[in-house]
């Protein structure tokens, strides 16, 4: 157990639907990062939050949004889902703003869009 | 977009042998990190080397960094079957608050 909790572990949904992925960071970590991993794109950085505020944005689609709550857990919302959104979605956390620290990853949510 | 590229893409060795993986990246970095991923699982942080360091050791792991060549290598000595996994390098440029991962090397250690 890495200390980063992601739920659900698996999600199967239809095209056009909306899902919410949840992440609880390791105790004491203020930064949360979201990554998408697919066979053709590899590990893609989506977005980072630090203590409730958005810090950095990557290749996140407009159909995707995220937030970090006062208790530091984070949610990634994916809407108008397409087949190509099928992937593993990872959440990671780190101490501080992320610079110079290793990340602790959760075990991921496997999203299948049918 | 990927910052780093690992080489080779796949590597198969016998237990007890050493495994070397290389990573090349494109822009200036603050630090470079190596991660391991077992099939379909989360990534595990292995080691971090800062831009002003040239070599770092952790157990059976040895990492080198050559900032002039924008490259790093990860050496796993006396490999074990349990080392079978994908290995990724990741770069932190110190400015954008995001860690960018390479394409990964799939290591298979045969018992």
């Amino acid at each position: 157990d890495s200390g980063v909790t992601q739920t659900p572990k698996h999600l199967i949904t239809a095209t056009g639907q909306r899902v919410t992925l949840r992440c609880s960071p390791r105790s004491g970590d203020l930064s949360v990062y979201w990554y998408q991993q697919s066979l053709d794109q590899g590990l893609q950085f989506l977005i980072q939050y630090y203590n409730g505020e958005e810090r950095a944005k990557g290749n996140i689609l407009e159909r995707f949004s995220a937030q970090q709550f006062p208790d530091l857990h984070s949610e990634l919302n994916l809407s108008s889902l397409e087949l190509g959104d099928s992937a593993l979605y990872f959440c990671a956390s780190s101490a501080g703003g992320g610079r110079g620290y290793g990340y602790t990853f959760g075990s991921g949510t496997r999203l299948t869009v049918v | 977009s990927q910052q780093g590229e690992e080489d080779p893409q796949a590597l198969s060795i016998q237990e007890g042998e050493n495994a070397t993986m290389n990573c090349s990246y494109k822009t200036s970095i603050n630090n470079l990190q190596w991660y391991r991923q077992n099939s379909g699982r989360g990534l595990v942080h292995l080691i971090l080397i800062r831009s002003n360091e040239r070599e770092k050791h952790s157990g059976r792991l040895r990492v080198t960094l050559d900032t002039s060549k924008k490259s790093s290598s990860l050496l796993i000595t006396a490999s074990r079957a349990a080392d079978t996994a994908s290995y990724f390098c990741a770069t932190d440029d110190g400015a954008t608050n995001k860690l960018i991962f390479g394409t990964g090397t799939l290591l298979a250690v045969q018992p």
Side-chain angles (χ1 to χ4, degrees), chain A residues 43-75:
Chain A
L43 264 164
Q44 296 289 321
F45 170 76
L46 296 178
I47 198 163
Q48 179 207 1
Y49 281 85
Y50 174 75
N51 204 19
E53 293 189 4
E54 183 184 304
R55 266 287 178 94
K57 224 168 183 175
N59 301 324
I60 188 166
L61 300 172
E62 284 191 11
R63 300 183 285 110
F64 297 180
S65 65
Q67 54 184 326
Q68 186 180 29
F69 295 86
D71 67 353
L72 300 179
H73 91 271
S74 178
E75 292 181 356

Side-chain angles (χ1 to χ4, degrees), chain A residues 35 37 44 48 56 59 99 103, chain B residues 1 35 37 94 96-97 99:
Chain A
Y35 283 83
Q37 186 177 37
Q44 296 289 321
Q48 179 207 1
N59 301 324
R99 294 175 188 169
Y103 290 11
Chain B
S1 62
Y35 288 79
Q37 183 182 30
T96 56
N97 290 306
L99 206 56

